[in-house]
Amino acid sequence: ERLYDPAKANGPMRLAIFLSGGGSTALHILKNQTKHFKVACIFTDNNTSKASSLAREFSIPLKVNDIKEFYRKKGVQNLRDMKVREEFDGETQKWLIHNEVDAVALAGYMSLVTEPICNEYITLNSHPADLTVKDKNGKRKYTGAHAVLDSVNDGLKEIRTTIIWVNLSCDEGPILVRSKPVKIPNTDGMDAERKKEIANTVQEQLKKTGDYPAYIAALELLSQGRIEAEDNSVYINGVRSPNGIDLAA
Protein backbone atom coordinates (compact mmCIF):
# COMPACT_ATOMS: atom_id res chain seq x y z
CA GLU A 1 0.00 0.00 0.00
CA ARG A 2 1.31 3.45 -0.89
CA LEU A 3 2.02 5.68 2.10
CA TYR A 4 0.59 8.52 0.03
CA ASP A 5 -1.26 8.07 -3.24
CA PRO A 6 -1.26 11.17 -5.46
CA ALA A 7 -3.89 9.58 -7.72
CA LYS A 8 -6.40 9.98 -4.87
CA ALA A 9 -5.41 13.58 -4.12
CA ASN A 10 -6.90 16.80 -5.39
CA GLY A 11 -3.63 18.59 -6.10
CA PRO A 12 -0.13 18.45 -4.53
CA MET A 13 0.49 16.67 -1.22
CA ARG A 14 -0.30 19.08 1.63
CA LEU A 15 2.50 19.16 4.19
CA ALA A 16 2.58 20.48 7.76
CA ILE A 17 5.98 21.48 9.12
CA PHE A 18 6.61 21.11 12.87
CA LEU A 19 9.54 23.04 14.37
CA SER A 20 10.83 24.12 17.76
CA GLY A 21 13.79 26.41 17.08
CA GLY A 22 15.56 28.38 14.39
CA GLY A 23 13.75 26.72 11.51
CA SER A 24 16.66 26.36 9.06
CA THR A 25 15.43 22.99 7.76
CA ALA A 26 11.87 24.32 7.63
CA LEU A 27 13.09 27.29 5.57
CA HIS A 28 14.85 24.97 3.13
CA ILE A 29 11.67 22.91 2.67
CA LEU A 30 9.62 26.08 2.16
CA LYS A 31 12.06 27.34 -0.48
CA ASN A 32 12.12 24.00 -2.29
CA GLN A 33 8.45 23.09 -2.63
CA THR A 34 7.69 21.32 -5.90
CA LYS A 35 4.65 20.62 -8.04
CA HIS A 36 4.25 17.43 -6.00
CA PHE A 37 4.15 18.88 -2.46
CA LYS A 38 3.20 22.21 -0.90
CA VAL A 39 3.54 23.40 2.68
CA ALA A 40 -0.01 23.90 3.94
CA CYS A 41 0.77 25.11 7.48
CA ILE A 42 3.38 25.41 10.23
CA PHE A 43 3.14 24.28 13.85
CA THR A 44 5.47 25.07 16.74
CA ASP A 45 5.60 23.91 20.36
CA ASN A 46 7.80 26.87 21.35
CA ASN A 47 6.54 30.44 21.36
CA THR A 48 10.09 31.78 20.92
CA SER A 49 10.81 29.75 17.76
CA LYS A 50 11.16 31.25 14.27
CA ALA A 51 7.85 29.70 13.17
CA SER A 52 5.89 32.96 13.23
CA SER A 53 8.39 34.81 11.04
CA LEU A 54 8.45 31.92 8.53
CA ALA A 55 4.65 31.78 8.45
CA ARG A 56 4.52 35.53 7.79
CA GLU A 57 7.21 35.39 5.11
CA PHE A 58 5.47 32.60 3.17
CA SER A 59 1.86 33.59 4.04
CA ILE A 60 1.09 30.19 5.57
CA PRO A 61 -1.29 29.38 8.47
CA LEU A 62 0.48 29.05 11.83
CA LYS A 63 -0.40 27.43 15.14
CA VAL A 64 1.63 28.11 18.27
CA ASN A 65 1.00 25.92 21.31
CA ASP A 66 3.87 26.26 23.75
CA ILE A 67 4.41 22.83 25.26
CA LYS A 68 5.78 24.08 28.59
CA GLU A 69 2.75 26.34 29.05
CA PHE A 70 0.41 23.49 28.09
CA TYR A 71 1.89 21.19 30.74
CA ARG A 72 1.90 23.99 33.33
CA LYS A 73 -1.81 24.65 32.75
CA LYS A 74 -2.45 20.93 33.24
CA GLY A 75 -0.55 21.07 36.54
CA VAL A 76 2.05 18.59 35.30
CA GLN A 77 5.77 19.30 35.68
CA ASN A 78 7.13 16.23 33.87
CA LEU A 79 7.29 17.09 30.16
CA ARG A 80 7.73 13.38 29.42
CA ASP A 81 4.24 12.56 30.69
CA MET A 82 2.91 10.95 27.52
CA LYS A 83 -0.74 11.05 28.63
CA VAL A 84 -0.57 14.84 28.61
CA ARG A 85 1.44 14.71 25.38
CA GLU A 86 -1.39 12.82 23.68
CA GLU A 87 -3.80 15.59 24.74
CA PHE A 88 -1.35 18.17 23.36
CA ASP A 89 -1.03 16.30 20.06
CA GLY A 90 -4.80 15.80 19.94
CA GLU A 91 -5.26 19.58 19.85
CA THR A 92 -2.70 19.81 17.06
CA GLN A 93 -4.44 17.03 15.14
CA LYS A 94 -7.71 19.00 15.07
CA TRP A 95 -5.84 21.90 13.51
CA LEU A 96 -4.19 19.61 10.93
CA ILE A 97 -7.62 18.27 9.96
CA HIS A 98 -8.86 21.86 9.55
CA ASN A 99 -5.92 22.55 7.19
CA GLU A 100 -6.48 19.33 5.19
CA VAL A 101 -2.95 18.07 5.85
CA ASP A 102 -1.70 14.86 4.17
CA ALA A 103 1.73 14.49 5.82
CA VAL A 104 3.92 15.96 8.57
CA ALA A 105 7.60 16.94 8.40
CA LEU A 106 9.35 17.23 11.77
CA ALA A 107 12.03 19.84 11.07
CA GLY A 108 13.99 20.51 14.23
CA TYR A 109 10.95 19.57 16.33
CA MET A 110 12.18 18.67 19.79
CA SER A 111 9.08 16.99 21.26
CA LEU A 112 8.25 13.32 20.77
CA VAL A 113 5.02 12.91 18.82
CA THR A 114 2.32 10.47 19.90
CA GLU A 115 -0.54 8.59 18.22
CA PRO A 116 -2.75 11.58 17.28
CA ILE A 117 0.07 12.68 14.96
CA CYS A 118 2.17 9.70 13.85
CA ASN A 119 -0.68 7.19 13.69
CA GLU A 120 -2.96 9.56 11.78
CA TYR A 121 -0.42 11.17 9.44
CA ILE A 122 2.60 9.97 7.51
CA THR A 123 5.26 11.69 9.62
CA LEU A 124 8.89 12.16 8.56
CA ASN A 125 11.89 13.17 10.64
CA SER A 126 15.58 13.74 10.04
CA HIS A 127 18.22 12.21 12.32
CA PRO A 128 21.88 13.30 12.29
CA ALA A 129 23.48 9.86 12.00
CA ASP A 130 23.48 6.77 9.80
CA LEU A 131 20.75 4.59 11.35
CA THR A 132 21.88 1.55 9.37
CA VAL A 133 24.86 1.22 11.77
CA LYS A 134 24.05 -1.40 14.44
CA ASP A 135 25.50 -2.21 17.85
CA LYS A 136 26.54 -5.71 18.96
CA ASN A 137 22.91 -6.52 19.82
CA GLY A 138 21.69 -5.60 16.34
CA LYS A 139 20.04 -2.37 17.49
CA ARG A 140 20.58 1.03 15.87
CA LYS A 141 23.73 2.39 17.43
CA TYR A 142 23.59 6.14 16.88
CA THR A 143 20.15 7.20 18.14
CA GLY A 144 19.12 9.99 20.47
CA ALA A 145 20.13 13.61 20.96
CA HIS A 146 23.91 13.00 21.13
CA ALA A 147 24.28 10.92 17.97
CA VAL A 148 26.81 13.27 16.34
CA LEU A 149 29.01 13.47 19.44
CA ASP A 150 28.77 9.69 19.88
CA SER A 151 29.91 9.25 16.26
CA VAL A 152 32.85 11.60 16.82
CA ASN A 153 33.82 9.92 20.11
CA ASP A 154 33.76 6.51 18.40
CA GLY A 155 36.22 7.72 15.78
CA LEU A 156 33.90 7.41 12.78
CA LYS A 157 35.35 8.83 9.58
CA GLU A 158 32.04 10.08 8.20
CA ILE A 159 28.41 10.67 9.12
CA ARG A 160 25.11 10.92 7.25
CA THR A 161 21.60 12.23 7.81
CA THR A 162 18.85 9.60 7.86
CA ILE A 163 15.24 10.47 7.02
CA ILE A 164 12.81 8.11 8.72
CA TRP A 165 9.09 7.42 8.71
CA VAL A 166 8.26 8.09 12.36
CA ASN A 167 6.69 5.56 14.70
CA LEU A 168 6.26 5.74 18.48
CA SER A 169 9.86 4.71 19.28
CA CYS A 170 12.53 7.41 19.13
CA ASP A 171 14.68 7.05 15.97
CA GLU A 172 13.34 3.54 15.29
CA GLY A 173 11.08 4.17 12.30
CA PRO A 174 11.72 2.71 8.83
CA ILE A 175 14.54 4.38 6.89
CA LEU A 176 13.52 6.24 3.74
CA VAL A 177 16.60 8.22 2.64
CA ARG A 178 20.25 8.49 3.68
CA SER A 179 22.25 11.54 2.69
CA LYS A 180 25.67 11.74 1.11
CA PRO A 181 28.36 11.39 3.81
CA VAL A 182 30.02 14.30 5.59
CA LYS A 183 33.63 13.77 6.65
CA ILE A 184 34.50 13.77 10.37
CA PRO A 185 38.00 15.12 11.12
CA ASN A 186 40.49 12.91 12.92
CA THR A 187 40.07 13.61 16.66
CA ASP A 188 42.79 11.31 18.02
CA GLY A 189 44.41 12.87 21.07
CA MET A 190 41.78 15.62 21.45
CA ASP A 191 40.18 16.28 24.82
CA ALA A 192 36.42 15.97 25.42
CA GLU A 193 35.79 19.70 25.05
CA ARG A 194 37.51 19.88 21.67
CA LYS A 195 35.58 16.81 20.47
CA LYS A 196 32.33 18.59 21.42
CA GLU A 197 33.38 21.56 19.30
CA ILE A 198 34.14 19.25 16.36
CA ALA A 199 30.74 17.56 16.80
CA ASN A 200 28.95 20.93 16.72
CA THR A 201 30.80 21.94 13.55
CA VAL A 202 30.06 18.61 11.88
CA GLN A 203 26.38 18.85 12.85
CA GLU A 204 26.06 22.30 11.25
CA GLN A 205 27.72 21.04 8.08
CA LEU A 206 25.50 17.96 8.10
CA LYS A 207 22.39 20.15 8.19
CA LYS A 208 23.32 21.84 4.93
CA THR A 209 24.77 18.91 2.97
CA GLY A 210 22.82 16.11 4.68
CA ASP A 211 19.45 17.16 6.11
CA TYR A 212 18.43 19.59 3.39
CA PRO A 213 18.83 17.46 0.23
CA ALA A 214 17.80 14.24 2.01
CA TYR A 215 14.56 15.77 3.30
CA ILE A 216 13.58 17.11 -0.12
CA ALA A 217 14.39 13.72 -1.70
CA ALA A 218 12.18 11.94 0.85
CA LEU A 219 9.30 14.40 0.34
CA GLU A 220 9.55 13.97 -3.43
CA LEU A 221 9.46 10.17 -3.12
CA LEU A 222 6.50 10.31 -0.76
CA SER A 223 4.49 12.90 -2.68
CA GLN A 224 4.97 11.05 -5.98
CA GLY A 225 3.56 7.84 -4.46
CA ARG A 226 6.88 6.01 -4.77
CA ILE A 227 6.96 4.70 -1.16
CA GLU A 228 4.90 1.66 -0.19
CA ALA A 229 4.63 -0.30 3.05
CA GLU A 230 3.74 -3.91 3.71
CA ASP A 231 4.22 -5.96 6.90
CA ASN A 232 6.64 -3.43 8.45
CA SER A 233 8.75 -3.40 5.28
CA VAL A 234 9.23 -0.35 3.08
CA TYR A 235 9.33 -0.55 -0.71
CA ILE A 236 10.73 2.37 -2.70
CA ASN A 237 10.17 2.43 -6.45
CA GLY A 238 8.78 -1.10 -6.08
CA VAL A 239 11.93 -2.52 -4.43
CA ARG A 240 12.14 -3.62 -0.79
CA SER A 241 14.47 -1.05 0.78
CA PRO A 242 15.36 -1.74 4.45
CA ASN A 243 18.15 0.86 4.28
CA GLY A 244 16.20 3.40 2.22
CA ILE A 245 17.54 5.31 -0.75
CA ASP A 246 21.26 6.15 -0.59
CA LEU A 247 21.90 9.59 -2.11
CA ALA A 248 25.62 8.73 -2.37
CA ALA A 249 24.91 5.80 -4.69
Side-chain angles (χ1 to χ4, degrees):
E1 184 183 354
R2 288 179 176 177
L3 294 194
Y4 171 80
D5 188 348
K8 296 177 181 175
N10 189 18
M13 184 180 79
R14 292 176 60 80
L15 184 70
I17 297 179
F18 285 28
L19 66 108
S20 299
S24 61
T25 301
L27 177 60
H28 186 79
I29 294 171
L30 283 159
K31 284 182 171 178
N32 289 277
Q33 298 172 77
T34 72
K35 65 182 181 181
H36 301 115
F37 73 88
K38 300 295 179 189
V39 178
C41 55
I42 298 175
F43 172 77
T44 185
D45 62 348
N46 176 8
N47 58 21
T48 65
S49 76
K50 291 286 178 66
S52 56
S53 63
L54 288 174
R56 274 197 307 273
E57 182 181 347
F58 289 89
S59 302
I60 290 171
L62 168 73
K63 181 175 176 67
V64 180
N65 191 6
D66 191 276
I67 197 162
K68 291 179 181 175
E69 284 185 15
F70 187 88
Y71 272 72
R72 184 174 52 77
K73 285 175 183 173
K74 295 285 180 183
V76 178
Q77 288 186 319
N78 180 13
L79 290 180
R80 292 189 172 275
D81 185 320
M82 288 298 129
K83 192 168 183 299
V84 176
R85 184 68 54 84
E86 283 198 22
E87 292 179 48
F88 179 83
D89 285 345
E91 287 194 7
T92 310
Q93 184 197 2
K94 290 174 189 170
W95 188 72
L96 297 181
I97 292 168
H98 173 73
N99 283 282
E100 300 177 328
V101 165
D102 296 310
V104 172
L106 306 179
Y109 187 68
M110 303 313 292
S111 300
L112 288 174
V113 291
T114 57
E115 289 186 8
I117 305 300
C118 62
N119 274 19
E120 298 300 321
Y121 295 94
I122 300 303
T123 303
L124 306 189
N125 195 19
S126 62
H127 180 70
D130 187 345
L131 291 176
T132 65
V133 180
K134 305 283 176 58
D135 64 16
K136 63 185 179 183
N137 297 314
K139 293 189 173 295
R140 292 178 179 173
K141 187 170 185 180
Y142 297 106
T143 61
H146 306 293
V148 177
L149 182 58
D150 292 342
S151 300
V152 170
N153 285 335
D154 283 356
L156 266 59
K157 299 288 188 288
E158 59 184 36
I159 191 169
R160 300 168 182 247
T161 293
T162 306
I163 307 295
I164 61 171
W165 169 23
V166 176
N167 59 20
L168 293 176
S169 300
C170 182
D171 303 328
E172 293 298 333
I175 294 169
L176 302 180
V177 174
R178 289 182 298 138
S179 74
K180 292 179 180 178
V182 167
K183 297 294 181 190
I184 299 176
N186 188 329
T187 58
D188 289 351
M190 292 184 185
D191 62 20
E193 202 56 42
R194 180 68 182 125
K195 285 183 178 179
K196 273 188 189 173
E197 291 172 7
I198 294 287
N200 289 337
T201 302
V202 167
Q203 187 150 3
E204 280 306 306
Q205 188 184 351
L206 188 62
K207 264 189 194 176
K208 297 180 177 67
T209 59
D211 294 23
Y212 297 173
Y215 226 135
I216 299 302
L219 289 170
E220 277 287 86
L221 289 168
L222 177 64
S223 61
Q224 291 176 36
R226 291 159 61 191
I227 304 176
E228 298 169 276
E230 184 179 317
D231 300 330
N232 294 322
S233 292
V234 167
Y235 294 78
I236 300 176
N237 299 325
V239 178
R240 187 172 178 273
S241 306
N243 293 328
I245 295 287
D246 182 354
L247 295 187

